[in-house]
Amino acid sequence: MNAVLEFITRIFNKDGVASKNVAKERLRLVLVHDRANVSPQLLQDLKADLIKVISSYLEIDEEALEVNFENSENQVALIANIPVKNVRRPVS
Amino acid sequence: MGEVIVVTSGKGGVGKTTTTANLGTGLAQLGYKVSLVDADIGLRNLDVVLGLENRIVYDITDVTGGHCRMRQALIKDKRYDGLFLLPAAQTKDKSAVNPDQMKVLCEDLRQEFDFVIIDCPAGIEQGFRNAIAGADRAIVVTTPEVSAVRDADRIVGLLEAAELRDPKLIVNRVRYKMVKAGDMMSIDDIIDILAIDLLGVVPEDEMVVITTNRGEPVVSDDRCRSGAAYRNIVRRITGEQVPLLSLDEGGFMGKIRRMIGFK
């Protein structure tokens, strides 16, 4: 009976994604952080420093600023999305 | 001069001790002189897996502490010529031994043995650092689960940081049916993620439980698939090229063929 039930749930599994693919994708993402040895705290600090540095040149939308690690083809990239509101005028 | 190999995994329960016992027994069956070292101080287990628990007099801390000679602490396995065990201490903790002492111990053992195989404790703390201190190469054991693969990845990083480059991977407890149904990561998936060389694949097998109950490593059982998988891994360790065991159980006819002794 159990086997029949299992079979039916399998057929009607609407997600259609094999669970191993879910596992692999989750692993990929978690390993990006593990390998870069990045804690959420570090990412926050990095973000704060980025804002500090960039703000002296550009006016940016601090709320919308996104900093993340992305993984593609065995490479990890630091991707920062920084919306610019305005360019500061040169002081002199 | 023998070779010192550490068997490690990060995560507990993936089969380090079982792997160590089987590789050691398998190598001894091929005629090599092998010493197994249980580096899991405080959680001694390799002795029961090998069925040698009743013969322990001295342990690894007695040797490093100078209370006995190496020869006195090594237990000879009477079933397999050339197989010896250096048991862990059960009543002490990991700090009873330090990495420098482990290096000396491994140097001593490699003078007498062809292979010294160290069973590393789970975790990445002092027990791990002790276990890898004197090793020439490392075998990383994992299972096709996210937690085990993640920990294996961490271990690979730590091994590299400790100058133990090019570790080899054993994927343990693979269930072929689930892989086929897409419900378990395949060997290719795991290799893809960890990016290290594969040493072997061991299928999930009830015989491992049954033989371990009796204290006899499964590698000496000629009829089961996990035993064959371990024998292949052993031959690869000695440098032989052995193709991967097909994980396909071959359906009904395959089962019958295996029952009557054809592989």
Side-chain angles (χ1 to χ4, degrees):
Chain A
M1 196 55 208
N2 257 344
V4 175
L5 255 174
E6 215 171 277
F7 182 68
I8 292 172
T9 34
R10 214 174 270 264
I11 287 180
F12 291 102
N13 178 10
K14 283 279 185 283
D15 305 343
V17 183
S19 69
K20 75 132 184 181
N21 291 334
V22 180
K24 206 176 164 185
E25 200 41 47
R26 289 176 56 223
L27 258 174
R28 264 193 200 294
L29 285 174
V30 78
L31 288 184
V32 168
H33 287 262
D34 286 1
R35 285 177 187 171
N37 197 14
V38 169
S39 64
Q41 182 58 48
L42 195 148
L43 214 58
Q44 281 306 316
D45 292 352
L46 175 67
K47 215 164 148 179
D49 280 354
L50 274 176
I51 291 173
K52 215 189 296 171
V53 171
I54 297 171
S55 294
S56 51
Y57 299 90
L58 303 165
E59 198 176 312
I60 56 173
D61 186 353
E62 294 181 16
E63 292 299 305
L65 182 136
E66 271 176 45
V67 178
N68 246 315
F69 285 93
E70 273 178 31
N71 191 14
S72 59
E73 303 282 319
N74 289 335
Q75 267 193 333
V76 180
L78 176 71
I79 308 284
N81 192 353
I82 309 166
V84 179
K85 280 185 182 162
N86 216 336
V87 180
R88 289 199 199 284
R89 284 206 184 87
V91 186
S92 56
Chain B
M1 280 284 272
E3 194 172 7
V4 183
I5 304 172
V6 61
V7 177
T8 181
S9 72
K11 189 177 177 300
V14 298
K16 282 179 298 299
T17 304
T18 306
T19 300
T20 307
N22 279 293
L23 298 188
T25 308
L27 284 164
Q29 281 177 325
L30 290 182
Y32 292 97
K33 223 181 153 201
V34 186
S35 162
L36 301 181
V37 178
D38 190 347
D40 201 348
I41 296 168
L43 292 168
R44 173 159 86 197
N45 269 331
L46 189 52
D47 55 336
V48 279
V49 172
L50 286 164
L52 298 173
E53 67 273 19
N54 293 327
R55 300 190 34 218
I56 296 176
V57 182
Y58 296 108
D59 60 50
I60 188 169
T61 61
D62 293 318
V63 179
T64 54
H67 305 303
C68 73
R69 277 170 291 124
M70 180 75 83
R71 218 170 268 281
Q72 292 173 291
L74 283 169
I75 300 163
K76 184 178 165 23
D77 193 321
K78 289 170 184 158
R79 296 161 298 182
Y80 311 102
D81 234 11
L83 183 62
F84 291 79
L85 167 69
L86 181 60
Q90 179 69 333
T91 52
K92 299 188 176 123
D93 64 55
K94 317 281 185 211
S95 60
V97 177
N98 65 46
D100 287 334
Q101 290 173 320
M102 283 301 288
K103 276 183 200 161
V104 174
L105 185 106
C106 291
E107 278 313 307
D108 287 352
L109 285 172
R110 79 160 86 228
Q111 306 299 326
E112 283 206 37
F113 293 93
D114 300 316
F115 289 97
V116 179
I117 305 181
I118 302 168
D119 185 16
C120 178
I124 54 174
E125 294 84 24
Q126 172 145 18
F128 169 74
R129 286 197 295 274
N130 282 342
I132 68 168
D136 305 316
R137 54 172 169 158
I139 293 174
V140 176
V141 183
T142 191
T143 60
E145 291 156 81
V146 284
S147 50
V149 175
R150 183 195 197 174
D151 289 1
D153 189 78
R154 184 100 168 87
I155 286 296
V156 170
L158 291 171
L159 288 170
E160 272 174 17
E163 308 269 296
L164 264 173
R165 311 222 174 262
D166 210 12
K168 300 284 186 278
L169 183 72
I170 293 180
V171 184
N172 197 14
R173 309 189 68 172
V174 176
R175 297 202 221 171
Y176 181 74
K177 271 188 196 157
M178 289 189 74
V179 173
K180 212 169 167 184
D183 280 329
M184 182 174 262
M185 280 185 285
S186 68
I187 306 308
D188 288 340
D189 292 332
I190 296 168
I191 294 292
D192 199 26
I193 288 169
L194 293 178
I196 62 174
D197 292 343
L198 183 68
L199 181 62
V201 179
V202 182
E204 171 89 62
D205 188 351
E206 291 178 359
M207 280 310 286
V208 174
V209 179
I210 295 167
T211 53
T212 307
N213 285 342
R214 301 199 172 106
E216 296 162 357
V218 75
V219 68
S220 46
D221 188 313
D222 287 334
R223 291 157 305 176
C224 63
R225 298 178 60 74
S226 55
Y230 279 121
R231 285 193 295 281
N232 284 349
I233 293 172
V234 164
R235 284 164 61 199
R236 286 183 203 118
I237 288 176
T238 65
E240 212 179 311
Q241 296 283 330
V242 187
L244 272 183
L245 198 69
S246 159
L247 280 172
D248 199 338
E249 284 160 19
F252 181 65
M253 282 312 286
K255 273 185 191 145
I256 290 187
R257 250 180 270 131
R258 274 203 314 285
M259 254 189 264
I260 54 179
F262 290 98
K263 291 276 159 60

